[in-house]
Amino acid sequence: MNPAIVALTALHALTANRLRAGLALLGIVIGVASVIAVVALGRGAQESITSFIEDLGTNMLTVQPGGSEEGLFFRGFGTAKSLTLDDAAFLEDKVFAPAVGLVAPEINFWGQASALQNNMPIQGVGVTSEYLEVRNFTLASGRNISPADVINRTEVVVIGSRVAQTLYGARDPVGAAVRIDGREFTVVGVLASKGDEESGFFFGFGNDTVLAPITTAHYRLNFDRSSGGGVAVDTIYLQAVDETSVDAAASQIETALRLQHELGPTDENDFTITNQAEVLAALENTGQVFVIFLGGIAGVSLLVGGIGIMNIMLVSVTERTREIGIRRAVGAKQRDILLQFVLEAVLLTLGGGLIGIAAGIGIASLMNNFDLGGEQLTTVVSANTALLALGVSVGIGLIFGISPAIRAARLNPIEALRYQ
Amino acid sequence: MSENSVNRVIEASGLARHYAVGEQVVRALDGVDLSVERGEMIAIMGPSGSGKSTLMNLLGCLDTPTAGDYRLNGEHVGSASDDRLSVLRNRSIGFVFQNYNLLPRINAVGNVTLPLHYGGRSSGTSAAARAALARVGLADRAEHKPTELSGGEQQRVSIARALVNEPSLILADEPTGNLDSVTTMEVISTLQDLNYRDGITLLMVTHDAEIANSAKRIISFRDGRIIEDRAIEQVRL
Ligand SMILES: Nc1ncnc2c1ncn2[C@@H]1O[C@H](COP(=O)(O)OP(=O)(O)OP(=O)(O)O)[C@@H](O)[C@H]1O
Ligand SMILES: [Mg+2]
């Protein structure tokens, strides 16, 4: 029998029972749409993480106090105060660490900033003049924290764009006063807005930041002393001189710090060096697992949709037993019947798949740029996912349609004709 | 092959069909010898349960015999595959059932086209179907669905479906069993006309002696065997 006619016959049978076909189709539509939407969301998150980290540059290294046993993402939050401003200065030494370029130590502090009648919580960072370049910040107006500010513990700050907006509105903050935890500072610069547009979701920070000279932060705002008595820092950011010397820089940093900390040959490192490329790889890996996990959950609904298809096809075969008998009596071969019912199932899932892809893309684009309390969702629909979902839904039609179709094809013609 | 066997549509010997029902064996057909020449019109009679439908199913390649030999147009059917049986049903046989067995959702042309499609024909099918419908006097009912036709009209659509592939044999199992006397005459005269004008070989099961008299030969059954086989003077309707 001509395949086009088989397809027409199958289509005809489906349209004969629209409500039932529609409900069976809905299962596939929901399954495919949720796979597409969820994977798009996962990819969006993954891409914003990746672009954030790539923004920082893959030749960046970080050193944090404490051993590596605390784990990749939680170290540095412990109580160890083994890293000091002197360590940072030492790492700038070209003799001990020739592969290291810029060095930018930071101290974190949290506080409440107020100016005019406004106030807001801020993320404070004590920095040196290298910080902006190492962390890829740019100034919108005013000047950077200078080496002199660090030496003199000047009470000046550079503020993030949201801080400027919140505290000063449309006014120019440069030269204005700001109180942080009751102490008065002068605003000398404003950072260019960063993150919201391109890296949204996870890392919109920078805009709530207030940068102060690291010494000012230490002596005026934060009084953590290192175990050795120096100025404790939370993180030291370092740039390798180029991307190929990241590994060399890491080992030079390790040697230099072990020397500086007077560690014996059997002592464990009391600091941890992290390579940005490693973090990127780890995050991408985590992101992928996340996408696969969510996609898998959504895939289960696709499977449930497939079971719905099988159910509908089994009912259809039973209901149309006599039709099968008639077709067999006028010359249909077993494979003609098989093809008719398989095609019916595949048409159903193909239709469901196409509608599901359209719905999934629709949902993904509705979620894209959706404001989630200041953070924006990003979704990325890939053609691959859509094609895969379509392939899977056709496959589901085949897998779940074949057994009812075999049942139909194997019916005894005489018994089928007698069926009431 | 002898000169005679070329004109022989059906050649059956010792044909038997037994059913095992629990411990018991039902001998629905119990050794039937039958030979049918091209162009014959035969009425098959007998009490209920005597094996008439069983024979029709065997002759129509819908069923295979438990024992015996059946040759359709000289071809041994007993050893044929399921696919071959399908082809034989499609090409060589036309069925007319008591309850019409039309597909309810498609119209008369669609129903009549069905054997053409399964025969692999893809062009001119609609024209051929319409010609078959015209042949049974239903040219003006081509677009009607079965539910929009009377019982007699539905049965004539099924006759059109049976003859559309120009089979060598039409098998009608109580074709007028569901019809009143007026439409019965319409259907029987249509069948008789096919046999008389087109020389189509016809086997027809009936309980009605008057209808049986429209044939040229009457075969009577009892308990799965032929008890009488005689030629008669045909009554033209
Ligand atoms: N599938 C089956 N299983 C068991 N017995 C069967 C089966 N089909 C038919 N029979 C038996 O075979 C015998 C012949 O049946 P058949 O249908 O051929 O009779 P018939 O002559 O056509 O009767 P009627 O005039 O009532 O149509 C009956 O006794 C019937 O019960
Ligand atoms: Mg019968």
Side-chain angles (χ1 to χ4, degrees):
Chain A
M1 196 169 179
N2 187 328
I5 290 171
V6 184
L8 265 177
T9 308
L11 205 64
H12 203 90
L14 290 175
T15 52
N17 213 326
R18 282 193 203 89
L19 179 64
R20 191 198 286 169
L23 288 174
L25 195 103
L26 197 62
I28 298 296
V29 170
I30 292 171
V32 170
S34 47
V35 168
I36 301 268
V38 159
V39 171
L41 194 61
R43 291 242 157 144
Q46 209 183 347
E47 284 200 2
S48 47
I49 296 169
T50 305
S51 79
F52 168 76
I53 296 203
E54 276 170 357
D55 232 29
L56 298 178
T58 43
N59 60 342
M60 191 161 87
L61 298 127
T62 57
V63 182
Q64 285 171 317
S68 58
E69 72 281 356
E70 284 160 65
L72 184 59
F73 295 109
F74 297 101
R75 79 174 67 108
F77 296 104
T79 49
K81 296 292 170 196
S82 55
L83 222 50
T84 66
L85 207 49
D86 293 338
D87 291 338
F90 187 59
L91 290 173
E92 283 177 350
D93 191 320
K94 288 292 163 214
V95 178
F96 287 101
V100 172
L102 289 176
V103 178
E106 75 168 31
I107 291 178
N108 299 115
F109 61 94
W110 284 266
Q112 196 73 19
S114 58
L116 306 174
Q117 264 74 54
N118 309 310
N119 74 92
M120 70 179 292
I122 48 117
Q123 296 175 349
V125 190
V127 301
T128 58
S129 58
E130 290 84 2
Y131 189 79
L132 288 197
E133 188 180 341
V134 173
R135 301 299 309 269
N136 268 0
F137 284 113
T138 46
L139 284 167
S141 61
R143 66 167 180 87
N144 188 6
I145 304 285
S146 70
D149 290 330
V150 175
I151 292 165
N152 300 327
R153 304 176 194 172
T154 324
E155 295 183 329
V156 295
V157 288
V158 171
I159 60 177
S161 60
R162 190 148 48 207
V163 179
Q165 175 65 35
T166 309
L167 297 184
Y168 302 97
R171 296 181 212 207
D172 182 10
V174 176
V178 60
R179 294 187 80 82
I180 295 170
D181 283 0
R183 195 174 275 273
E184 188 161 304
F185 290 79
T186 307
V187 178
V188 294
V190 180
L191 294 175
S193 171
K194 179 177 175 172
D196 266 359
E197 299 81 31
E198 74 261 27
S199 53
F201 210 169
F202 282 86
F203 299 97
F205 78 59
N207 302 332
D208 284 343
T209 299
V210 168
L211 306 180
I214 194 164
T215 47
T216 314
H218 179 77
Y219 292 108
R220 303 279 180 262
L221 294 164
N222 183 354
F223 298 95
D224 285 336
R225 296 286 165 142
S226 75
S227 32
V231 176
V233 301
D234 293 307
T235 307
I236 302 173
Y237 293 92
L238 305 104
Q239 271 181 348
V241 287
D242 56 48
E243 301 211 348
T244 56
S245 43
V246 173
D247 287 340
S251 73
Q252 289 163 12
I253 292 164
E254 186 178 7
T255 312
L257 285 180
R258 285 185 71 85
L259 193 67
Q260 173 82 353
H261 290 183
E262 296 171 350
L263 297 178
T266 56
D267 291 339
E268 297 269 339
N269 286 346
D270 59 356
F271 54 87
T272 307
I273 303 166
T274 312
N275 168 340
Q276 211 62 64
E278 273 168 22
V279 174
L280 184 63
L283 277 176
E284 276 184 344
N285 197 24
T286 315
Q288 233 142 36
V289 170
F290 180 68
V291 168
I292 290 168
F293 177 68
L294 287 181
I297 290 176
V300 170
S301 66
L302 200 52
L303 197 72
V304 172
I307 293 168
I309 296 287
M310 182 150 163
N311 185 34
I312 261 16
M313 293 312 295
L314 283 173
V315 170
S316 174
V317 168
T318 309
E319 229 182 39
R320 285 151 66 196
T321 299
R322 197 204 288 248
E323 173 190 332
I324 294 162
I326 294 171
R327 289 180 183 277
R328 294 282 277 139
V330 300
K333 294 177 183 149
Q334 290 195 357
R335 65 165 169 276
D336 292 325
I337 302 294
L338 185 84
L339 191 65
Q340 179 188 338
F341 280 91
V342 167
L343 215 69
E344 249 183 73
V346 168
L347 277 180
L348 210 53
T349 53
L350 181 71
L354 287 172
I355 298 172
I357 286 174
I361 291 174
I363 292 167
S365 64
L366 279 181
M367 286 194 300
N368 198 18
N369 297 331
F370 182 82
D371 205 326
L372 207 75
E375 308 290 2
Q376 286 182 325
L377 287 181
T378 317
T379 57
V380 179
V381 178
S382 79
N384 278 348
T385 315
L387 281 177
L388 186 72
L390 195 64
V392 166
S393 47
V394 169
I396 279 177
L398 277 175
I399 291 166
F400 289 97
I402 196 95
S403 126
I406 287 175
R407 208 183 159 109
R410 294 225 177 118
L411 283 174
N412 177 309
I414 297 172
E415 278 164 24
L417 279 168
R418 263 196 215 128
Y419 189 85
Q420 288 308 317
Chain B
M1 231 181 244
S2 74
E3 172 101 15
N4 209 16
S5 68
V6 174
N7 268 330
R8 200 157 285 168
V9 181
I10 291 172
E11 177 99 80
S13 59
L15 211 56
R17 181 66 169 98
H18 298 171
Y19 294 104
V21 181
E23 299 281 283
Q24 217 184 333
V25 175
V26 177
R27 297 168 189 274
L29 216 57
D30 199 16
V32 167
D33 303 319
L34 177 66
S35 115
V36 177
E37 304 287 318
R38 205 165 298 286
E40 280 200 82
M41 177 163 176
I42 301 172
I44 295 172
M45 300 193 73
S48 183
S50 57
K52 307 179 297 291
S53 295
T54 305
L55 177 72
M56 297 298 261
N57 290 339
L58 284 178
L59 298 181
C61 302
L62 276 169
D63 199 3
T64 44
T66 312
D69 183 48
Y70 170 35
R71 277 192 285 171
L72 175 64
N73 297 317
E75 178 178 344
H76 283 278
V77 172
S79 53
S81 68
D82 191 80
D83 275 4
R84 182 64 194 155
L85 291 177
S86 297
V87 170
L88 289 174
R89 287 198 294 272
N90 184 255
R91 299 275 161 77
S92 312
I93 290 155
F95 276 104
V96 179
F97 301 95
Q98 178 174 356
N99 54 4
Y100 329 129
N101 274 334
L102 299 173
L103 294 183
R105 292 192 204 283
I106 54 181
N107 63 19
V109 185
N111 269 286
V112 176
T113 315
L114 217 52
L116 296 170
H117 286 325
Y118 286 117
R121 223 169 116 174
S122 49
S123 65
T125 52
S126 175
R130 280 167 203 280
L133 282 168
R135 183 72 190 79
V136 298
L138 284 178
D140 57 342
R141 294 286 190 274
E143 319 297 336
H144 288 231
K145 290 190 175 171
T147 48
E148 299 158 357
L149 294 167
S150 75
E153 287 168 335
Q154 288 186 58
Q155 193 58 298
R156 282 190 282 153
V157 172
S158 92
I159 293 171
R161 181 181 63 189
L163 63 88
V164 73
N165 259 341
E166 296 166 10
S168 42
L169 180 64
I170 287 184
L171 298 169
D173 194 349
E174 300 189 45
T176 59
N178 286 2
L179 302 175
D180 64 30
S181 54
V182 179
T183 43
T184 292
M185 284 309 135
E186 278 174 26
V187 166
I188 296 301
S189 71
T190 303
L191 287 173
Q192 211 179 30
D193 195 49
L194 289 175
N195 172 256
Y196 185 78
R197 278 181 34 196
D198 301 336
I200 292 175
T201 312
L202 199 75
L203 264 75
M204 169 175 73
V205 174
T206 180
H207 285 289
D208 186 327
E210 207 182 326
I211 293 170
N213 283 332
S214 68
K216 299 166 182 167
R217 179 180 167 193
I218 298 180
I219 298 174
S220 297
F221 271 79
R222 170 161 297 170
D223 298 332
R225 295 171 194 261
I226 294 175
I227 54 165
E228 189 183 41
D229 186 345
R230 64 189 164 99
I232 58 158
E233 197 56 50
Q234 188 180 34
V235 179
R236 291 278 291 141
L237 295 168

